[in-house]
Amino acid sequence: MDYTDLGFRQKQNLGLLLGVSLFFWISITVLLPTLPTYVEHLGGTKPEIGLIMGSFAVGSLFSRTLLGYLADTKSRKLVLYIGLIIATLSPLNYLIVQTIFPLAIVRAIHGISIAAFTTAYSALVIDFSPIKHRGRIIGYMSLVTPIGMSIGPVFGDLLKEHFGYITLFTVSGSCGLLGLLLVAAMRKESKLNYYDSSDTDNSNLSHSFHKILSSHSLIIPTLVLLLIGLLFGTIITFLPLFLEEKGLDFSAGLFYTLASITSFLSRIFLGRVADRFGRGLFITASILSYFSSMILLTQATGSQQLFLAAIFEGIGAGILMPMIIALVSDRSSPQERGQVYSVCLGGYDLGIALAGPIIGILGSQLSYQTIFTLSSNLALVAFILFISQSNRTIKTSLGFAMGKRKDLYYLEN
């Protein structure tokens, strides 16, 4: 990659952002395989576990609009601070609050951290990226996410098994604090791609919240993320319990780690070709990967199916989010980007938020295999939606989704 378009300050800030992202995702993901079992340890039922796990996304969902507005009109760095402060303090509250419904409130507050982090991080990466290298830099800057997510779950399992929940939650909070210190070291925000909100009345932003929701160019990526969020919410809520019930010699931490390693490898490949072949082909491939993962989970009776399911889930996760972020960046102007991210990524949050309680209620009546089968259908609907509605007409949508046509919604920023 040619970095000559980047100044020293941009390179320095991008490097610090990588470190911030690493600590943030470790902080979040040490709890992925452990929090459902912690709630069960406290006496939680399946619907209550679903409620608490889904509450994380509820907090994220309802805070995204405000956080996106702050990122556009005040400071991306301020929003990053908010996310990391919450990531530092929230894990300690899991130890203090040990009843189900107050715990759901704590989990919802914790969810604000991921809304703040992903909105500000994505916007800052775009701010520091020359337009012609945007997809490639997004791909490379997203590599640290699967690294953090591969370390976190296994680390979380080890901490829980050998040191207990007090140490687990303390380490989670400490990782948030380390990320906070790195943010403090960042220099003034770049103006490379950054819109200065003081130059223009905020009422003149191209897309208001309602306009974003009514824009065909942005609502389709949002709906795709909603459907995949429902699917992913099912995995993170019930995979640990499914493996525990079946007595399979395959931990949830190992599943998440394998998925994260595959996600990392797929993003290396993505960084090299993202700007050459367009966004549509990769989004299509990622949705089909999620579908394959869920089908394998429905058939899982041993380690082989789980291993393959983790690989396909990792491919889907590794490609989908960077490409959706690149796609909505292509389709939005710099001054609205924080708000666009907040709405589009909010679709993913909403899916996870709904998955917990809805699937939790169904889980009391259905087997886990049936639940995963329903989730595979969500990926199938997302695939049909994307190949038929991702562009101006069905014909151009199919061409874009197959990598044969350019994006007709692309804006020259």
Side-chain angles (χ1 to χ4, degrees):
M1 176 179 173
D2 180 10
Y3 289 97
T4 57
D5 292 335
L6 292 176
F8 173 76
R9 183 165 293 171
Q10 281 74 44
K11 293 177 184 178
Q12 184 183 51
N13 284 338
L14 286 171
L16 287 169
L17 276 174
L18 285 173
V20 173
S21 183
L22 176 64
F23 286 120
F24 177 81
W25 287 112
I26 292 175
S27 172
I28 294 296
T29 58
V30 292
L31 304 179
L32 274 183
T34 54
L35 197 57
T37 56
Y38 177 67
V39 177
E40 189 176 51
H41 170 73
L42 295 177
T45 62
K46 281 183 182 179
E48 288 170 340
I49 292 169
L51 172 67
I52 290 172
M53 296 303 290
S55 294
F56 185 82
V58 172
S60 178
L61 174 67
F62 285 102
S63 62
R64 274 199 186 273
T65 301
L66 175 59
L67 292 167
Y69 176 78
L70 288 176
D72 284 335
T73 60
K74 300 298 181 182
S75 168
R76 321 286 206 208
K77 192 174 177 181
L78 170 63
V79 176
L80 207 56
Y81 270 126
I82 292 171
L84 286 156
I85 289 170
I86 294 173
T88 300
L89 298 177
S90 292
L92 304 179
N93 288 323
Y94 292 122
L95 295 171
I96 298 170
V97 180
Q98 296 192 344
T99 51
I100 298 301
F101 291 104
L103 199 59
I105 295 173
V106 172
R107 186 65 175 162
I109 294 171
H110 198 180
I112 297 172
S113 68
I114 203 167
F117 178 82
T118 54
T119 297
Y121 184 83
S122 300
L124 281 168
V125 169
I126 295 297
D127 292 345
F128 300 146
S129 304
I131 293 174
K132 65 181 179 180
H133 297 313
R134 178 182 291 160
R136 187 180 297 186
I137 290 179
I138 291 173
Y140 286 130
M141 290 298 292
S142 68
L143 285 174
V144 74
T145 301
I147 294 175
M149 294 183 76
S150 65
I151 296 171
V154 170
F155 193 30
D157 269 339
L158 290 173
L159 289 171
K160 185 194 77 169
E161 293 298 325
H162 296 286
F163 300 100
Y165 288 110
I166 293 177
T167 302
L168 171 71
F169 293 126
T170 302
V171 169
S172 176
S174 298
C175 288
L177 178 60
L178 290 171
L180 193 62
L181 296 175
L182 290 181
V183 174
M186 286 176 58
R187 301 294 185 108
K188 185 179 179 181
E189 295 176 15
S190 165
K191 296 295 180 182
L192 181 64
N193 252 347
Y194 188 67
Y195 175 82
D196 187 353
S197 61
S198 64
D199 294 339
T200 301
D201 184 351
N202 292 327
S203 64
N204 292 328
L205 294 178
S206 302
H207 284 90
S208 68
F209 177 78
H210 295 293
K211 286 183 179 179
I212 292 170
L213 289 179
S214 62
S215 169
H216 187 265
S217 65
L218 298 173
I219 194 61
I220 298 304
T222 303
L223 290 174
V224 169
L225 287 180
L226 170 64
L227 292 164
I228 298 302
L230 282 164
L231 182 155
F232 185 67
T234 302
I235 293 176
I236 63 173
T237 303
F238 294 107
L239 180 65
L241 303 174
F242 165 67
L243 296 176
E244 199 171 79
E245 181 185 273
K246 292 295 183 181
L248 297 174
D249 186 22
F250 201 97
S251 72
L254 178 59
F255 182 96
Y256 296 135
T257 296
L258 285 172
S260 298
I261 292 171
T262 308
S263 176
F264 174 80
L265 295 174
S266 65
R267 290 185 196 210
I268 292 178
F269 169 77
L270 184 68
R272 297 179 182 275
V273 299
D275 293 311
R276 187 184 312 168
F277 295 102
R279 323 301 188 202
L281 179 63
F282 294 104
I283 293 173
T284 301
S286 68
I287 296 171
L288 291 176
S289 295
Y290 272 114
F291 175 75
S292 300
S293 176
M294 299 310 296
I295 290 297
L296 285 163
L297 282 177
T298 65
Q299 306 298 319
T301 56
S303 297
Q304 184 176 1
Q305 293 100 324
L306 292 166
F307 184 87
L308 290 173
I311 289 176
F312 278 110
E313 197 275 330
I315 293 172
I319 296 175
L320 182 67
M321 195 60 76
M323 283 295 94
I324 290 287
I325 290 172
L327 182 68
V328 299
S329 299
D330 292 342
R331 295 177 174 188
S332 59
S333 57
Q335 66 266 32
E336 64 187 353
R337 206 159 273 148
Q339 295 179 82
V340 168
Y341 292 154
S342 72
V343 175
C344 293
L345 296 180
Y348 190 69
D349 295 337
L350 179 60
I352 297 175
L354 293 175
I358 291 176
I359 304 300
I361 293 171
L362 291 176
S364 60
Q365 306 294 326
L366 303 174
S367 67
Y368 288 116
Q369 282 91 346
T370 303
I371 290 173
F372 293 145
T373 299
L374 292 174
S375 296
S376 69
N377 290 328
L378 294 171
L380 188 60
V381 172
F383 171 73
I384 295 171
L385 178 68
F386 188 73
I387 65 171
S388 64
Q389 298 296 319
S390 60
N391 239 267
R392 295 188 186 278
T393 66
I394 293 179
K395 182 178 180 180
T396 57
S397 293
L398 183 60
F400 174 66
M402 296 295 108
K404 302 296 184 181
R405 286 179 176 265
K406 293 183 178 180
D407 184 9
L408 298 181
Y409 289 121
Y410 179 83
L411 299 179
E412 292 285 352
N413 294 320

